[in-house]
Structure formats: structure tokens, C-alpha cells
Amino acid sequence: VEPYLEVDRTIARRNGASGVSVRAATAVIAHSFLFDNRNAGLRVFNDVPGAAEALVEGSSMVCNGRDGALVGDQSTADFGGGALLS
């Protein structure tokens, strides 16, 4: 079973690290507000085998300590209308 996360109409704020972290998994993040987190609103990464993928639509990642969104390593994120949408 592949790791999968679906976030819809969620508020993530004031977390000690990131609002939402996608690590070596697939995620769909829709209509969410990720703000005032210590590091990033959204972090998509793989520090273990297997790249992470995130499809993000209608969401805001603002006023975070370092980054709105961080996509690292071999991971990918689609912020609207890209290849992950289909």
C-alpha cells in the first residue's frame, strides 16, 4: 500500500516545524490555509527511498517562519494545472 494523504479545508497554524509534511508519499492538498508555522507551510521531501508527490489546489501558504512551500530532493509538487492533475 502506497502512503497517501488527503487534506481538504484544513487550517494548519503555529506548528513547531511545518504545517503539512509529505515525506515519501503522495498527497492532495485542497482549499487549505497553512500559516504561521515555524518553518514551512508545506514541505514535500524524501529523506528515505521513494520520492514524494503533492497536488496542491486552492490553498495558501503564507506568513511562515522560512518558506511558504519547500519541495526538496527528488520530490515534486503541482500547484495547479500540471501533470499530477490528470
Side-chain angles (χ1 to χ4, degrees):
V1 175
E2 293 291 324
Y4 179 78
L5 171 69
E6 189 167 332
V7 176
D8 191 12
R9 297 181 188 110
T10 298
I11 295 174
R13 69 179 188 152
R14 295 188 181 157
N15 290 290
S18 299
V20 174
S21 291
V22 182
R23 178 181 180 240
T26 299
V28 175
I29 299 156
H31 314 105
S32 295
F33 190 47
L34 314 175
F35 73 106
D36 196 22
N37 297 290
R38 185 173 199 150
N39 290 322
L42 172 65
R43 186 171 179 217
V44 183
F45 68 108
N46 57 292
D47 57 355
V48 296
E53 294 182 331
L55 171 61
V56 183
E57 290 191 327
S59 298
S60 296
M61 291 143 273
V62 298
C63 300
N64 293 290
R66 292 189 183 163
D67 301 301
L70 173 76
V71 181
D73 307 309
Q74 294 82 29
S75 298
T76 59
D78 180 347
F79 290 91
L84 297 177
L85 185 59
S86 52

